[in-house]
């Protein structure tokens, strides 16, 4: 399980998404860009004049509060998605692990049955050769032996395919072969679910709904008027006419 959680690409991507959401949370408040205006040239005569201005637009404080709430909900959604994928990955590892243990037991039973019926076949053949039995007994034992060997071949191929799938799930170059004393799984609550009364998938749906509502509220708040604070300075050099009469 640790190998799967550490190496699984989807789980790694989920952790990166959580980190991104948390870093976006630190960008609040997100102010608009500062506007700077600068000019230089001849306005009133042959002397050069200059113009400088700077302004900053602000929204009402409620806008930045709603933006912070949206960012917090984005983190919650990312964590909820991560929890769902984590629990599904753990379930998949356990399911494949115990399925391999069951297949191991099936192979042992079929190999034992193969050995027993192979011995029966030899005895039946000897009895038929000695004239102590008819061909029907030999045919019945031979048919049972063929069925067991065919089933054994199918189970071995199934195990081979499942083992390859198990390796892809745990995402490691090491080749693991599940070994256990019992094929009975003792269910334990995942530590991440202890104390949590809400299903992880339901938690995702609730987080998505919360994020949608808060995003809508943010967009509506952006329609409210904003205000700007600025500074402006300009020079006009040279003689100027103050009236129409000299």
């Amino acid at each position: 399980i640790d190998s799967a959680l550490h190496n699984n690409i989807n789980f790694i991507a989920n952790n990166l998404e959580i980190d991104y959401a948390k870093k976006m949370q630190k960008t609040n408040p997100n102010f608009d860009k500062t506007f700077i205006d600068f000019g230089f040239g001849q306005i009133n005569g042959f002397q050069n004049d200059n113009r400088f201005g700077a302004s900053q637009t602000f929204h009402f404080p409620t806008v930045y509060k709603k933006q912070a709430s949206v960012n917090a909900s984005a983190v919650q959604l990312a964590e909820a998605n991560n929890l769902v994928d984590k629990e599904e990955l753990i379930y998949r590892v356990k399911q494949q692990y115990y399925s391999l243990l069951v297949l191991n037991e099936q192979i042992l039973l079929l190999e034992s049955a193969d050995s027993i019926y192979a011995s029966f076949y030899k005895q039946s053949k000897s009895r038929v050769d000695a004239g102590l039995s008819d061909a029907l007994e030999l045919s019945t034992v031979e048919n049972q032996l063929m069925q067991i060997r065919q089933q054994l071949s199918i189970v071995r191929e199934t195990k081979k395919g499942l083992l390859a799938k198990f390796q892809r799930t745990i995402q490691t170059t090491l080749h693991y072969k599940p070994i256990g004393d019992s094929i009975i799984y003792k269910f334990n609550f995942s530590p991440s679910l202890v104390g949590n009364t809400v299903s992880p998938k339901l938690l995702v749906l609730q987080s998505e709904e919360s994020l949608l509502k808060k995003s809508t509220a943010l967009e509506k708040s952006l329609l409210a008027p904003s205000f700007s604070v600025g500074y402006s300075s300009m020079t006009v050099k040279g003689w100027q006419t103050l009236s129409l009469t000299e």
Side-chain angles (χ1 to χ4, degrees), residues 182-228:
S182 174
I183 61 175
I184 299 175
Y185 173 65
K186 296 180 180 179
F187 179 78
N188 292 315
F189 279 104
S190 173
S192 58
L193 295 180
V194 175
N196 189 359
T197 58
V198 181
S199 164
K201 289 191 175 182
L202 180 59
L203 187 62
V204 169
L205 294 177
Q206 291 176 345
S207 299
E208 288 178 343
E209 182 182 10
S210 176
L211 179 60
L212 180 60
K213 289 181 178 179
K214 291 178 180 179
S215 297
T216 303
L218 174 62
E219 293 300 322
K220 289 181 178 179
S221 67
L222 289 172
L223 298 177
S226 57
F227 58 94
S228 298

Side-chain angles (χ1 to χ4, degrees), residues 32-88:
D32 293 337
K33 292 181 179 180
T34 302
F35 176 76
I36 297 177
D37 177 49
F38 178 76
F40 180 81
Q42 298 172 343
I43 297 177
N44 192 58
F46 293 103
Q47 299 183 35
N48 291 322
D49 297 295
N50 61 73
R51 181 183 74 255
F52 174 79
S55 63
Q56 175 68 56
T57 300
F58 296 94
H59 296 285
F60 286 106
T62 53
V63 174
Y64 302 112
K65 183 178 180 180
K66 292 180 185 298
Q67 179 64 62
S69 181
V70 168
N71 291 338
S73 294
V75 173
Q76 292 177 356
L77 177 59
E79 290 176 342
N81 281 322
N82 185 63
L83 178 60
V84 169
D85 289 346
K86 178 181 179 180
E87 294 304 319
E88 288 182 348

